[in-house]
Amino acid sequence: MAWDVFSIIGTIAFALSGAIVAMEEEYDLFGVYILGIVTAFGGGAIRNVLIGLPVSTLWNQETLFQITLVAITLFFIMPHHLIKHWNRWGNITDAIGLAAFAIQGAMHAVKLGLPLSAVIVAAILTGCGGGIIRDLLAGRKPIVLRDEIYALWAAIAGLLIGLQVGTSDWFLYGLFVGVIFFRFLSYSREWQLPRKKLYY
């Protein structure tokens, strides 16, 4: 049950996140669809490659592809006065996608019996991979590579799932809310990880 819920939530959230970025960059309709689809499925593709699954397994997700197309279409045809402020929502949809896919990626790795390190990596790549591809295609520096805290929350989710701190659906839903909360809090409070310049 939790697996399906996180798949649907993450797919819709990242599809809208990609569509928002595409509209901000003034891409045409085709560009909006491409960026939305790539954001929604890019992280899963990268994860599958690194944990040894064929990328072609993505094509078995026909229902999720349909959901993605419907979500992007509905967003695109919404009246302008309803979406003109949605650029502020970009970070919210991104946080939702990060949380849902980080948890889903970690669950996938645990199901395959992979070690803790692989579970954490799967969580990070599934949660951040689509956003990285989206930002690169949009000519932006990926959020995960900036000094604000982003991928750390995916790593923590992967660690908790890999250690099997909890296995119930309610634990996973609570973790989902927690990742969203701390990601949005770190963004709004401008929390940063340490960084060091090579030259002054």
Side-chain angles (χ1 to χ4, degrees):
M1 177 62 178
W3 172 270
D4 294 329
V5 170
F6 289 128
S7 294
I8 294 172
I9 291 176
T11 298
I12 294 175
F14 267 160
L16 294 182
S17 175
I20 290 171
V21 170
M23 291 182 184
E24 287 177 344
E25 297 297 328
E26 300 183 356
Y27 285 13
D28 62 16
L29 177 59
F30 186 74
V32 172
Y33 277 111
I34 291 297
L35 212 57
I37 291 171
V38 165
T39 308
F41 295 97
I46 295 174
R47 176 204 63 209
N48 286 356
V49 169
L50 290 181
I51 66 177
L53 293 176
V55 179
S56 59
T57 56
L58 288 175
W59 303 121
N60 297 328
Q61 306 179 69
E62 183 177 354
T63 301
L64 291 179
F65 273 100
Q66 293 172 353
I67 290 173
T68 299
L69 294 175
V70 169
I72 295 172
T73 301
L74 291 176
F75 184 77
F76 189 84
I77 65 177
M78 288 179 67
H80 184 265
H81 71 277
L82 294 178
I83 65 173
K84 63 181 180 180
H85 299 299
W86 274 46
N87 59 333
R88 301 174 186 173
W89 289 43
N91 287 301
I92 297 177
T93 58
D94 200 63
I96 294 172
L98 170 70
F101 276 167
I103 293 172
Q104 188 219 45
M107 291 169 61
H108 198 55
V110 168
K111 188 181 297 184
L112 293 175
L114 298 178
L116 178 61
S117 58
V119 175
I120 295 173
V121 171
I124 295 173
L125 292 179
T126 312
C128 304
I132 291 175
I133 298 173
R134 174 202 64 207
D135 291 341
L136 291 175
L137 290 177
R140 301 180 175 188
K141 182 187 291 186
I143 294 176
V144 68
L145 301 180
R146 298 179 193 169
D147 50 357
E148 65 182 63
I149 301 176
Y150 186 84
L152 176 63
W153 307 123
I156 291 175
L159 176 65
L160 294 176
I161 292 174
L163 292 174
Q164 297 187 7
V165 173
T167 57
S168 69
D169 285 355
W170 287 113
F171 168 78
L172 296 174
Y173 292 142
L175 184 59
F176 170 69
V177 173
V179 172
I180 294 174
F181 174 78
F182 283 107
R183 165 58 193 147
F184 196 70
L185 188 65
S186 65
Y187 169 78
S188 60
R189 297 292 180 86
E190 298 183 351
W191 292 350
Q192 298 180 347
L193 291 173
R195 63 177 179 175
K196 184 174 183 180
K197 292 183 179 180
L198 188 59
Y199 301 104
Y200 292 95

